[in-house]
Amino acid sequence: MEQRFRVDLRGVVDLLSQHLYSSPRVYARELLQNAADAITARRTSAPETEPGRVVFEIDADGTLRVHDNGIGLTEPEVHTFLASVGRTSKRDELGFTRQDFLGQFGIGLLSCFMVADTIEVLTRSVTGTPAVRWTGHADGRYRVEVDDDARSSIGTTVVLRPRAGSAHWFAPDQVRDLVRTYGHLLDVEVVRQAPGTAELRLTEPRAPWEIDDDPEVRRLALLDHGTQLLGSRPMDVIDLRVPEAGLVGVGFVLPTASGVGPAGHRVYLKRMLLSENATGLVPEWAFFVRCVVDTSVLRPTASREGLYDDDLLARVRESLGAQIRDWLLDLSVRHPDRLAAFLRVHHLGVKALAVRDDEMLRLVDVGLPFETSRGTMTLHAFRRGAPVLRYAETVDEFRALAAIASAAGTPLVNAGYAYDTEILERLPRIDRSITVRRLDPGELAARLEPLPAELEAELAGFLRVARDVLVEFGCVPLIRQFDPVTVPALYVMSRQAHDQDRVARDLAQADDLWSDVLSAFAEVEIEHRPELVLNWRHPLIRRISAGPPGATLRHGIEALYGHALLAGHHPLRAVDTAALNRSFLALLDRAFAGPPAGGGTGAADPPPEEMP
């Protein structure tokens, strides 16, 4: 007698296809999962039974038959489990521990309605009862019949005939690829049978991490496996194990730099592929590792395409992070050549870890090169004999000041890249003898060599003109002598001047309410201004300072000011841009103001139409 499901099956199938499963391809996974669970159940009840075997048989007309030699179902069990959508206790009611099985939600068989209009189940129970035929339709009808001829041996057969437009899901190559993708690590024999081809085994005898050969042979075999997964050979492989989660596997170190952020990992649940792109398995700083793991305890999401983010997953993430960190520390001790190769590619990940972890900070200190005013070297080498470690917080600041700071006896570290500032500020945790300080350009200017008093007195007139010119830009002139001699002028803004400038800019843009608030911060007893430090060792500065007062001198000072801003990568305000353009054009005009080359009269060139 035909009956109907106890829910709106069409609605359930629509929910599965549009909201739960990402693709109809999961039908193969669900069939494989049910078969593997049935075999596990039979092994549990009768350990001496025949080896488990699953056959995906494809007929010439495209019909797919999936046979297993699992525990099978009786007629009452068919009524109970196949007629009730969403029953989650099927395996429990059969008397088996849920953790032994792959399935969790009791609705996997319904995924087949995404590719077929009818599902036929032929099953014979290990209990010796007659075989049963169950036929379900996508419109909600189903029929249960006792048919002892439906199946002669213990186990279950699922029969699917493709619906219109779904035949490609049952193509022999497609079935082969889907089953191999999801189930190649299952410890049961899974084969494909198709017309005109030999029987093809789709499962492997052991997982890659179960290789127990010589350690170096095993490592090379794992690297070969990683090459197949990643498309390029990994730099290294890390064994991973978290007994609490029944997790075992490996992590492959990527051969090229990758972006910071969540990475996708290949996760198996009881040897069945759960996801090829699972996130949250390792800490975000470990983005240079791609994991391939199998777990028996971690919870899958409802779609069985990801991991449920719970407390256990958080502990797994912490444990795997510790194992990756230990691998790095082991490299620093036993394989310095491999560590150097790794750091060249993945320094960003190591830095991210060093911000939180003192052991990794020590590794960065002695193993990771930094850009400094003394050249590229490790922090440990840089700070020898230098109890105060000064750094520039931006790349532009470092490039503008590095040579000058070094000449002034203030060696400098470039901390303008990701995590560098945090790493430098943490160094006293591992070496209490040092002091780390961000460079104040104002302090640097104060350390530059002053001119003799009598010479500075001779330049008083020039400095007076320079002050008059620079007052428009909120800047004051200063003459010092420093190396490198190739730098004519240096624009220096001390921390105090920077803070006052920021308040002034905010005050200019604020409304009346915030203007009153910010004015309190602007009322200071000492006004700190940026300085234009002129280098007396540069020949151009000597020539300009000796020139007569006038427009040319003023334009020359404006040009030096604009050049110093550009050389130091400082932002240009509208007034700065106007001065730079004005001085450039004025000096260019003066350079070409004399008589034309060749002794001409200096008359204007004739218009184009009058030229011979």
Side-chain angles (χ1 to χ4, degrees), residues 269-302:
L269 180 61
K270 304 179 187 72
R271 305 180 74 92
M272 173 79 79
L273 180 67
L274 179 73
S275 174
E276 296 174 287
N277 198 35
T279 58
L281 190 64
V282 300
E284 286 194 11
W285 57 259
F287 53 82
F288 51 84
V289 174
R290 292 294 180 272
C291 298
V292 182
V293 300
D294 179 56
T295 175
S296 60
V297 180
L298 287 175
R299 294 169 55 196
T301 57

PDB file of all heavy atoms in Angstrom, residues 269-302:
ATOM      1  N   LEU A 269      36.204  13.187   8.204  1.00  0.00           N
ATOM      2  CA  LEU A 269      35.501  12.768   9.409  1.00  0.00           C
ATOM      3  C   LEU A 269      35.359  11.254   9.356  1.00  0.00           C
ATOM      4  O   LEU A 269      34.629  10.727   8.515  1.00  0.00           O
ATOM      5  CB  LEU A 269      34.128  13.434   9.496  1.00  0.00           C
ATOM      6  CG  LEU A 269      33.287  13.080  10.719  1.00  0.00           C
ATOM      7  CD1 LEU A 269      33.993  13.488  12.003  1.00  0.00           C
ATOM      8  CD2 LEU A 269      31.914  13.729  10.629  1.00  0.00           C
ATOM      9  N   LYS A 270      36.091  10.577  10.224  1.00  0.00           N
ATOM     10  CA  LYS A 270      36.127   9.116  10.235  1.00  0.00           C
ATOM     11  C   LYS A 270      36.453   8.590   8.839  1.00  0.00           C
ATOM     12  O   LYS A 270      35.819   7.687   8.318  1.00  0.00           O
ATOM     13  CB  LYS A 270      34.804   8.547  10.749  1.00  0.00           C
ATOM     14  CG  LYS A 270      34.414   9.077  12.131  1.00  0.00           C
ATOM     15  CD  LYS A 270      33.088   8.497  12.570  1.00  0.00           C
ATOM     16  CE  LYS A 270      32.619   9.142  13.866  1.00  0.00           C
ATOM     17  NZ  LYS A 270      32.160  10.518  13.696  1.00  0.00           N
ATOM     18  N   ARG A 271      37.455   9.256   8.226  1.00  0.00           N
ATOM     19  CA  ARG A 271      38.046   8.884   6.947  1.00  0.00           C
ATOM     20  C   ARG A 271      37.171   9.223   5.746  1.00  0.00           C
ATOM     21  O   ARG A 271      37.534   8.915   4.612  1.00  0.00           O
ATOM     22  CB  ARG A 271      38.445   7.397   6.930  1.00  0.00           C
ATOM     23  CG  ARG A 271      39.378   7.002   8.080  1.00  0.00           C
ATOM     24  CD  ARG A 271      39.749   5.547   8.033  1.00  0.00           C
ATOM     25  NE  ARG A 271      40.709   5.265   6.980  1.00  0.00           N
ATOM     26  CZ  ARG A 271      42.038   5.259   7.139  1.00  0.00           C
ATOM     27  NH1 ARG A 271      42.565   5.559   8.310  1.00  0.00           N
ATOM     28  NH2 ARG A 271      42.832   4.971   6.133  1.00  0.00           N
ATOM     29  N   MET A 272      36.033   9.864   5.950  1.00  0.00           N
ATOM     30  CA  MET A 272      35.210  10.356   4.855  1.00  0.00           C
ATOM     31  C   MET A 272      35.461  11.861   4.712  1.00  0.00           C
ATOM     32  O   MET A 272      35.452  12.588   5.706  1.00  0.00           O
ATOM     33  CB  MET A 272      33.723  10.114   5.142  1.00  0.00           C
ATOM     34  CG  MET A 272      32.789  10.744   4.115  1.00  0.00           C
ATOM     35  SD  MET A 272      32.647   9.783   2.601  1.00  0.00           S
ATOM     36  CE  MET A 272      31.502   8.520   3.153  1.00  0.00           C
ATOM     37  N   LEU A 273      35.687  12.327   3.484  1.00  0.00           N
ATOM     38  CA  LEU A 273      35.968  13.741   3.282  1.00  0.00           C
ATOM     39  C   LEU A 273      34.802  14.588   3.756  1.00  0.00           C
ATOM     40  O   LEU A 273      33.658  14.401   3.338  1.00  0.00           O
ATOM     41  CB  LEU A 273      36.240  14.028   1.799  1.00  0.00           C
ATOM     42  CG  LEU A 273      36.540  15.495   1.483  1.00  0.00           C
ATOM     43  CD1 LEU A 273      37.872  15.916   2.098  1.00  0.00           C
ATOM     44  CD2 LEU A 273      36.534  15.736  -0.022  1.00  0.00           C
ATOM     45  N   LEU A 274      35.102  15.514   4.642  1.00  0.00           N
ATOM     46  CA  LEU A 274      34.097  16.463   5.119  1.00  0.00           C
ATOM     47  C   LEU A 274      34.165  17.761   4.335  1.00  0.00           C
ATOM     48  O   LEU A 274      33.153  18.291   3.893  1.00  0.00           O
ATOM     49  CB  LEU A 274      34.312  16.744   6.607  1.00  0.00           C
ATOM     50  CG  LEU A 274      33.341  17.735   7.250  1.00  0.00           C
ATOM     51  CD1 LEU A 274      31.977  17.074   7.414  1.00  0.00           C
ATOM     52  CD2 LEU A 274      33.869  18.203   8.608  1.00  0.00           C
ATOM     53  N   SER A 275      35.359  18.289   4.157  1.00  0.00           N
ATOM     54  CA  SER A 275      35.519  19.562   3.448  1.00  0.00           C
ATOM     55  C   SER A 275      36.913  19.661   2.865  1.00  0.00           C
ATOM     56  O   SER A 275      37.887  19.198   3.461  1.00  0.00           O
ATOM     57  CB  SER A 275      35.281  20.735   4.406  1.00  0.00           C
ATOM     58  OG  SER A 275      35.555  21.969   3.769  1.00  0.00           O
ATOM     59  N   GLU A 276      36.985  20.261   1.696  1.00  0.00           N
ATOM     60  CA  GLU A 276      38.278  20.555   1.091  1.00  0.00           C
ATOM     61  C   GLU A 276      38.736  21.966   1.427  1.00  0.00           C
ATOM     62  O   GLU A 276      39.826  22.372   1.046  1.00  0.00           O
ATOM     63  CB  GLU A 276      38.191  20.402  -0.432  1.00  0.00           C
ATOM     64  CG  GLU A 276      37.886  18.992  -0.885  1.00  0.00           C
ATOM     65  CD  GLU A 276      37.667  18.887  -2.381  1.00  0.00           C
ATOM     66  OE1 GLU A 276      36.606  19.341  -2.869  1.00  0.00           O
ATOM     67  OE2 GLU A 276      38.552  18.347  -3.068  1.00  0.00           O
ATOM     68  N   ASN A 277      37.893  22.713   2.124  1.00  0.00           N
ATOM     69  CA  ASN A 277      38.213  24.111   2.404  1.00  0.00           C
ATOM     70  C   ASN A 277      37.707  24.510   3.782  1.00  0.00           C
ATOM     71  O   ASN A 277      37.114  25.576   3.956  1.00  0.00           O
ATOM     72  CB  ASN A 277      37.592  25.007   1.329  1.00  0.00           C
ATOM     73  CG  ASN A 277      38.216  26.375   1.292  1.00  0.00           C
ATOM     74  OD1 ASN A 277      39.413  26.539   1.514  1.00  0.00           O
ATOM     75  ND2 ASN A 277      37.405  27.387   1.021  1.00  0.00           N
ATOM     76  N   ALA A 278      37.944  23.681   4.789  1.00  0.00           N
ATOM     77  CA  ALA A 278      37.479  23.970   6.151  1.00  0.00           C
ATOM     78  C   ALA A 278      38.324  25.082   6.766  1.00  0.00           C
ATOM     79  O   ALA A 278      39.543  25.141   6.575  1.00  0.00           O
ATOM     80  CB  ALA A 278      37.569  22.712   7.012  1.00  0.00           C
ATOM     81  N   THR A 279      37.678  25.966   7.512  1.00  0.00           N
ATOM     82  CA  THR A 279      38.381  27.060   8.174  1.00  0.00           C
ATOM     83  C   THR A 279      38.323  26.876   9.689  1.00  0.00           C
ATOM     84  O   THR A 279      37.556  26.077  10.206  1.00  0.00           O
ATOM     85  CB  THR A 279      37.761  28.413   7.802  1.00  0.00           C
ATOM     86  OG1 THR A 279      36.373  28.413   8.177  1.00  0.00           O
ATOM     87  CG2 THR A 279      37.873  28.660   6.299  1.00  0.00           C
ATOM     88  N   GLY A 280      39.139  27.647  10.377  1.00  0.00           N
ATOM     89  CA  GLY A 280      39.118  27.628  11.833  1.00  0.00           C
ATOM     90  C   GLY A 280      39.879  26.482  12.468  1.00  0.00           C
ATOM     91  O   GLY A 280      39.814  26.300  13.683  1.00  0.00           O
ATOM     92  N   LEU A 281      40.626  25.729  11.669  1.00  0.00           N
ATOM     93  CA  LEU A 281      41.318  24.567  12.213  1.00  0.00           C
ATOM     94  C   LEU A 281      42.619  24.952  12.914  1.00  0.00           C
ATOM     95  O   LEU A 281      43.016  24.315  13.893  1.00  0.00           O
ATOM     96  CB  LEU A 281      41.602  23.559  11.097  1.00  0.00           C
ATOM     97  CG  LEU A 281      42.103  22.182  11.518  1.00  0.00           C
ATOM     98  CD1 LEU A 281      41.047  21.452  12.330  1.00  0.00           C
ATOM     99  CD2 LEU A 281      42.504  21.355  10.298  1.00  0.00           C
ATOM    100  N   VAL A 282      43.304  25.963  12.401  1.00  0.00           N
ATOM    101  CA  VAL A 282      44.552  26.422  13.000  1.00  0.00           C
ATOM    102  C   VAL A 282      44.437  27.921  13.257  1.00  0.00           C
ATOM    103  O   VAL A 282      43.570  28.586  12.697  1.00  0.00           O
ATOM    104  CB  VAL A 282      45.769  26.131  12.079  1.00  0.00           C
ATOM    105  CG1 VAL A 282      45.899  24.643  11.834  1.00  0.00           C
ATOM    106  CG2 VAL A 282      45.652  26.885  10.768  1.00  0.00           C
ATOM    107  N   PRO A 283      45.300  28.489  14.105  1.00  0.00           N
ATOM    108  CA  PRO A 283      45.263  29.939  14.333  1.00  0.00           C
ATOM    109  C   PRO A 283      45.502  30.706  13.031  1.00  0.00           C
ATOM    110  O   PRO A 283      46.158  30.205  12.110  1.00  0.00           O
ATOM    111  CB  PRO A 283      46.406  30.170  15.330  1.00  0.00           C
ATOM    112  CG  PRO A 283      46.645  28.846  15.974  1.00  0.00           C
ATOM    113  CD  PRO A 283      46.327  27.813  14.928  1.00  0.00           C
ATOM    114  N   GLU A 284      45.002  31.932  12.962  1.00  0.00           N
ATOM    115  CA  GLU A 284      45.132  32.716  11.740  1.00  0.00           C
ATOM    116  C   GLU A 284      46.588  33.000  11.397  1.00  0.00           C
ATOM    117  O   GLU A 284      46.927  33.149  10.227  1.00  0.00           O
ATOM    118  CB  GLU A 284      44.346  34.023  11.862  1.00  0.00           C
ATOM    119  CG  GLU A 284      42.839  33.844  11.754  1.00  0.00           C
ATOM    120  CD  GLU A 284      42.114  35.156  11.543  1.00  0.00           C
ATOM    121  OE1 GLU A 284      42.789  36.164  11.270  1.00  0.00           O
ATOM    122  OE2 GLU A 284      40.875  35.170  11.639  1.00  0.00           O
ATOM    123  N   TRP A 285      47.458  33.086  12.415  1.00  0.00           N
ATOM    124  CA  TRP A 285      48.858  33.379  12.106  1.00  0.00           C
ATOM    125  C   TRP A 285      49.515  32.243  11.339  1.00  0.00           C
ATOM    126  O   TRP A 285      50.561  32.444  10.701  1.00  0.00           O
ATOM    127  CB  TRP A 285      49.652  33.682  13.384  1.00  0.00           C
ATOM    128  CG  TRP A 285      49.632  32.606  14.438  1.00  0.00           C
ATOM    129  CD1 TRP A 285      48.887  32.579  15.563  1.00  0.00           C
ATOM    130  CD2 TRP A 285      50.406  31.389  14.455  1.00  0.00           C
ATOM    131  NE1 TRP A 285      49.128  31.438  16.293  1.00  0.00           N
ATOM    132  CE2 TRP A 285      50.070  30.690  15.639  1.00  0.00           C
ATOM    133  CE3 TRP A 285      51.350  30.832  13.590  1.00  0.00           C
ATOM    134  CZ2 TRP A 285      50.635  29.463  15.959  1.00  0.00           C
ATOM    135  CZ3 TRP A 285      51.913  29.616  13.921  1.00  0.00           C
ATOM    136  CH2 TRP A 285      51.559  28.944  15.088  1.00  0.00           C
ATOM    137  N   ALA A 286      48.943  31.053  11.391  1.00  0.00           N
ATOM    138  CA  ALA A 286      49.545  29.891  10.717  1.00  0.00           C
ATOM    139  C   ALA A 286      49.027  29.768   9.288  1.00  0.00           C
ATOM    140  O   ALA A 286      48.808  28.667   8.794  1.00  0.00           O
ATOM    141  CB  ALA A 286      49.256  28.618  11.507  1.00  0.00           C
ATOM    142  N   PHE A 287      48.873  30.909   8.604  1.00  0.00           N
ATOM    143  CA  PHE A 287      48.322  30.873   7.249  1.00  0.00           C
ATOM    144  C   PHE A 287      49.286  30.263   6.237  1.00  0.00           C
ATOM    145  O   PHE A 287      48.926  30.046   5.086  1.00  0.00           O
ATOM    146  CB  PHE A 287      47.940  32.286   6.802  1.00  0.00           C
ATOM    147  CG  PHE A 287      49.051  33.290   6.926  1.00  0.00           C
ATOM    148  CD1 PHE A 287      50.029  33.396   5.953  1.00  0.00           C
ATOM    149  CD2 PHE A 287      49.121  34.134   8.013  1.00  0.00           C
ATOM    150  CE1 PHE A 287      51.045  34.317   6.064  1.00  0.00           C
ATOM    151  CE2 PHE A 287      50.131  35.066   8.142  1.00  0.00           C
ATOM    152  CZ  PHE A 287      51.107  35.160   7.161  1.00  0.00           C
ATOM    153  N   PHE A 288      50.502  29.965   6.656  1.00  0.00           N
ATOM    154  CA  PHE A 288      51.469  29.343   5.744  1.00  0.00           C
ATOM    155  C   PHE A 288      51.362  27.829   5.744  1.00  0.00           C
ATOM    156  O   PHE A 288      52.164  27.148   5.108  1.00  0.00           O
ATOM    157  CB  PHE A 288      52.891  29.768   6.125  1.00  0.00           C
ATOM    158  CG  PHE A 288      53.213  29.583   7.580  1.00  0.00           C
ATOM    159  CD1 PHE A 288      53.646  28.364   8.069  1.00  0.00           C
ATOM    160  CD2 PHE A 288      53.082  30.634   8.472  1.00  0.00           C
ATOM    161  CE1 PHE A 288      53.936  28.193   9.404  1.00  0.00           C
ATOM    162  CE2 PHE A 288      53.376  30.475   9.825  1.00  0.00           C
ATOM    163  CZ  PHE A 288      53.806  29.255  10.297  1.00  0.00           C
ATOM    164  N   VAL A 289      50.384  27.273   6.460  1.00  0.00           N
ATOM    165  CA  VAL A 289      50.208  25.817   6.558  1.00  0.00           C
ATOM    166  C   VAL A 289      48.839  25.430   6.011  1.00  0.00           C
ATOM    167  O   VAL A 289      47.837  26.088   6.284  1.00  0.00           O
ATOM    168  CB  VAL A 289      50.322  25.344   8.028  1.00  0.00           C
ATOM    169  CG1 VAL A 289      49.982  23.858   8.145  1.00  0.00           C
ATOM    170  CG2 VAL A 289      51.719  25.597   8.562  1.00  0.00           C
ATOM    171  N   ARG A 290      48.807  24.371   5.207  1.00  0.00           N
ATOM    172  CA  ARG A 290      47.551  23.760   4.769  1.00  0.00           C
ATOM    173  C   ARG A 290      47.509  22.348   5.346  1.00  0.00           C
ATOM    174  O   ARG A 290      48.410  21.543   5.108  1.00  0.00           O
ATOM    175  CB  ARG A 290      47.466  23.699   3.240  1.00  0.00           C
ATOM    176  CG  ARG A 290      47.345  25.040   2.573  1.00  0.00           C
ATOM    177  CD  ARG A 290      46.030  25.732   2.906  1.00  0.00           C
ATOM    178  NE  ARG A 290      45.950  27.020   2.236  1.00  0.00           N
ATOM    179  CZ  ARG A 290      46.399  28.159   2.725  1.00  0.00           C
ATOM    180  NH1 ARG A 290      46.971  28.154   3.920  1.00  0.00           N
ATOM    181  NH2 ARG A 290      46.289  29.282   2.057  1.00  0.00           N
ATOM    182  N   CYS A 291      46.464  22.062   6.111  1.00  0.00           N
ATOM    183  CA  CYS A 291      46.376  20.791   6.828  1.00  0.00           C
ATOM    184  C   CYS A 291      45.533  19.780   6.073  1.00  0.00           C
ATOM    185  O   CYS A 291      44.571  20.145   5.373  1.00  0.00           O
ATOM    186  CB  CYS A 291      45.771  21.018   8.213  1.00  0.00           C
ATOM    187  SG  CYS A 291      46.748  22.094   9.269  1.00  0.00           S
ATOM    188  N   VAL A 292      45.886  18.520   6.245  1.00  0.00           N
ATOM    189  CA  VAL A 292      45.068  17.389   5.805  1.00  0.00           C
ATOM    190  C   VAL A 292      44.947  16.479   7.025  1.00  0.00           C
ATOM    191  O   VAL A 292      45.927  15.862   7.450  1.00  0.00           O
ATOM    192  CB  VAL A 292      45.724  16.634   4.633  1.00  0.00           C
ATOM    193  CG1 VAL A 292      44.819  15.493   4.176  1.00  0.00           C
ATOM    194  CG2 VAL A 292      46.009  17.576   3.473  1.00  0.00           C
ATOM    195  N   VAL A 293      43.748  16.423   7.609  1.00  0.00           N
ATOM    196  CA  VAL A 293      43.581  15.700   8.861  1.00  0.00           C
ATOM    197  C   VAL A 293      42.314  14.856   8.831  1.00  0.00           C
ATOM    198  O   VAL A 293      41.370  15.130   8.084  1.00  0.00           O
ATOM    199  CB  VAL A 293      43.513  16.673  10.070  1.00  0.00           C
ATOM    200  CG1 VAL A 293      44.788  17.495  10.179  1.00  0.00           C
ATOM    201  CG2 VAL A 293      42.296  17.592   9.969  1.00  0.00           C
ATOM    202  N   ASP A 294      42.304  13.848   9.680  1.00  0.00           N
ATOM    203  CA  ASP A 294      41.116  13.027   9.913  1.00  0.00           C
ATOM    204  C   ASP A 294      40.765  13.119  11.387  1.00  0.00           C
ATOM    205  O   ASP A 294      41.646  13.080  12.248  1.00  0.00           O
ATOM    206  CB  ASP A 294      41.395  11.567   9.525  1.00  0.00           C
ATOM    207  CG  ASP A 294      40.177  10.685   9.774  1.00  0.00           C
ATOM    208  OD1 ASP A 294      39.106  11.006   9.233  1.00  0.00           O
ATOM    209  OD2 ASP A 294      40.306   9.690  10.517  1.00  0.00           O
ATOM    210  N   THR A 295      39.466  13.268  11.675  1.00  0.00           N
ATOM    211  CA  THR A 295      39.023  13.375  13.064  1.00  0.00           C
ATOM    212  C   THR A 295      37.821  12.465  13.278  1.00  0.00           C
ATOM    213  O   THR A 295      37.015  12.255  12.360  1.00  0.00           O
ATOM    214  CB  THR A 295      38.651  14.824  13.428  1.00  0.00           C
ATOM    215  OG1 THR A 295      38.103  14.860  14.754  1.00  0.00           O
ATOM    216  CG2 THR A 295      37.630  15.389  12.463  1.00  0.00           C
ATOM    217  N   SER A 296      37.707  11.947  14.474  1.00  0.00           N
ATOM    218  CA  SER A 296      36.566  11.101  14.791  1.00  0.00           C
ATOM    219  C   SER A 296      35.615  11.753  15.779  1.00  0.00           C
ATOM    220  O   SER A 296      34.556  11.199  16.078  1.00  0.00           O
ATOM    221  CB  SER A 296      37.056   9.761  15.375  1.00  0.00           C
ATOM    222  OG  SER A 296      37.808   9.982  16.566  1.00  0.00           O
ATOM    223  N   VAL A 297      35.987  12.948  16.298  1.00  0.00           N
ATOM    224  CA  VAL A 297      35.212  13.553  17.373  1.00  0.00           C
ATOM    225  C   VAL A 297      34.668  14.927  17.017  1.00  0.00           C
ATOM    226  O   VAL A 297      33.563  15.287  17.423  1.00  0.00           O
ATOM    227  CB  VAL A 297      36.052  13.637  18.663  1.00  0.00           C
ATOM    228  CG1 VAL A 297      35.250  14.273  19.794  1.00  0.00           C
ATOM    229  CG2 VAL A 297      36.532  12.246  19.080  1.00  0.00           C
ATOM    230  N   LEU A 298      35.408  15.726  16.270  1.00  0.00           N
ATOM    231  CA  LEU A 298      34.938  17.069  15.942  1.00  0.00           C
ATOM    232  C   LEU A 298      33.574  17.009  15.255  1.00  0.00           C
ATOM    233  O   LEU A 298      33.310  16.109  14.454  1.00  0.00           O
ATOM    234  CB  LEU A 298      35.943  17.790  15.047  1.00  0.00           C
ATOM    235  CG  LEU A 298      37.233  18.251  15.716  1.00  0.00           C
ATOM    236  CD1 LEU A 298      38.182  18.835  14.687  1.00  0.00           C
ATOM    237  CD2 LEU A 298      36.947  19.267  16.808  1.00  0.00           C
ATOM    238  N   ARG A 299      32.736  17.981  15.562  1.00  0.00           N
ATOM    239  CA  ARG A 299      31.356  17.983  15.061  1.00  0.00           C
ATOM    240  C   ARG A 299      31.272  18.666  13.699  1.00  0.00           C
ATOM    241  O   ARG A 299      31.768  19.779  13.522  1.00  0.00           O
ATOM    242  CB  ARG A 299      30.436  18.713  16.041  1.00  0.00           C
ATOM    243  CG  ARG A 299      30.275  18.031  17.390  1.00  0.00           C
ATOM    244  CD  ARG A 299      29.580  18.955  18.366  1.00  0.00           C
ATOM    245  NE  ARG A 299      28.303  19.422  17.847  1.00  0.00           N
ATOM    246  CZ  ARG A 299      27.636  20.465  18.332  1.00  0.00           C
ATOM    247  NH1 ARG A 299      28.151  21.155  19.347  1.00  0.00           N
ATOM    248  NH2 ARG A 299      26.481  20.811  17.821  1.00  0.00           N
ATOM    249  N   PRO A 300      30.598  18.033  12.750  1.00  0.00           N
ATOM    250  CA  PRO A 300      30.375  18.696  11.458  1.00  0.00           C
ATOM    251  C   PRO A 300      29.162  19.617  11.528  1.00  0.00           C
ATOM    252  O   PRO A 300      28.304  19.473  12.398  1.00  0.00           O
ATOM    253  CB  PRO A 300      30.117  17.521  10.508  1.00  0.00           C
ATOM    254  CG  PRO A 300      29.454  16.504  11.381  1.00  0.00           C
ATOM    255  CD  PRO A 300      30.098  16.639  12.742  1.00  0.00           C
ATOM    256  N   THR A 301      29.089  20.554  10.607  1.00  0.00           N
ATOM    257  CA  THR A 301      27.888  21.364  10.470  1.00  0.00           C
ATOM    258  C   THR A 301      26.775  20.518   9.867  1.00  0.00           C
ATOM    259  O   THR A 301      27.003  19.384   9.421  1.00  0.00           O
ATOM    260  CB  THR A 301      28.157  22.575   9.570  1.00  0.00           C
ATOM    261  OG1 THR A 301      28.624  22.110   8.288  1.00  0.00           O
ATOM    262  CG2 THR A 301      29.221  23.484  10.185  1.00  0.00           C
ATOM    263  N   ALA A 302      25.562  21.052   9.831  1.00  0.00           N
ATOM    264  CA  ALA A 302      24.413  20.294   9.334  1.00  0.00           C
ATOM    265  C   ALA A 302      24.607  19.836   7.896  1.00  0.00           C
ATOM    266  O   ALA A 302      24.174  18.755   7.508  1.00  0.00           O
ATOM    267  CB  ALA A 302      23.143  21.128   9.464  1.00  0.00           C
TER     268      ALA A 302
END
